Amino acid sequence: MRRPGTVAATAAALAAAVAVLLAAAAPAQATGYRYWSYWLRSGGAWTYAQTGPAMHVPADGTVEGWRFAVSRDAAAKAVQPRGAADFATICAGTPAVKGSKRVALVMDPGTPADASGGETPPAPRTACARVPSDASSADALAAVARPLRYDSAGILCAISGYPRAGCGEAVASGPAPAASSAAPHHDGGPSVGLYAGAAAVAALAGAAVWQTRRRRHPRSPQP
């Protein structure tokens, strides 16, 4: 026969298992990243660039954008540049020159909520870079927005000296988003199987406690 002390210990262990399961059921924290995202303008809308600026060679008349923000997902939920993005307006005062090209740039340092270390974001601005015809997007940015800061992996960390420190650091950005039709998996909370497992463990814990009490306080036999 199992001793009451052993049964009580088993009940405690099962209760602890319930606590672990419930803790695991808490909504996961999604991670965002604080960085300068890079955008291309096409058809009046921004498109998240699929290559780095050093690998992209823009044509004359191109509009490109940069936005500093905390973005949860690189492409789907990255924060776009704000403000007007019209080539004719941005490059109106920069005449065309043979053998060169003009690239309009929109640079949006974001909001105070996106800043880190107590920094105040500078105002968004636009600039028209006139660069050689074979220049990359990185060359165009360097022509109008120095100083630029890169890390050892070649990731752009700062434009015009902002921010002073940091480079793509992870930032906890609250509960993970609920599953969508494009992602048929459960991100926002515990699954049905997890709830069922917790319920089963809780039932076992309750049964163990009941057995302990029954042995300590046996019922009188019926006449």
Side-chain angles (χ1 to χ4, degrees):
M1 178 181 296
R2 183 179 295 178
R3 292 178 298 174
T6 302
V7 175
T10 302
L14 290 170
V18 173
V20 170
L21 282 169
L22 292 178
Q29 292 293 309
T31 299
Y33 295 89
R34 183 181 285 113
Y35 70 105
W36 280 100
S37 56
Y38 170 46
W39 300 81
L40 305 178
R41 190 78 172 176
S42 177
W46 289 114
T47 300
Y48 191 89
Q50 299 300 311
T51 62
M55 302 296 294
H56 184 252
V57 178
D60 180 70
T62 296
V63 179
E64 301 190 340
W66 294 86
R67 172 66 190 267
F68 187 78
V70 175
S71 297
R72 179 173 295 175
D73 178 82
K77 295 182 176 63
V79 184
Q80 298 182 4
R82 299 168 296 173
D86 178 69
F87 176 82
T89 300
I90 295 174
C91 288
T94 306
V97 174
K98 186 177 180 179
S100 66
K101 62 185 176 185
R102 294 171 296 166
V103 180
L105 296 172
V106 177
M107 291 157 284
D108 184 353
T111 67
D114 296 315
S116 64
E119 288 193 70
T120 300
R125 71 184 184 95
T126 61
C128 185
R130 185 165 58 198
V131 291
S133 300
D134 60 351
S136 68
S137 295
D139 296 328
L141 184 64
V144 297
R146 292 183 181 274
L148 304 179
R149 176 167 57 86
Y150 290 87
D151 70 0
S152 59
I155 297 173
L156 179 63
C157 304
I159 294 177
S160 297
Y162 181 82
R164 293 189 300 269
C167 192
E169 61 269 23
V171 179
S173 56
S180 66
S181 58
H185 60 276
H186 197 85
D187 292 324
S191 66
V192 174
L194 184 57
Y195 274 133
V201 173
L204 289 172
V209 172
W210 178 80
Q211 288 288 348
T212 300
R213 291 178 177 175
R214 185 169 178 271
R215 288 186 173 87
R216 289 179 178 176
H217 306 285
R219 299 177 61 183
S220 301
Q222 297 294 325

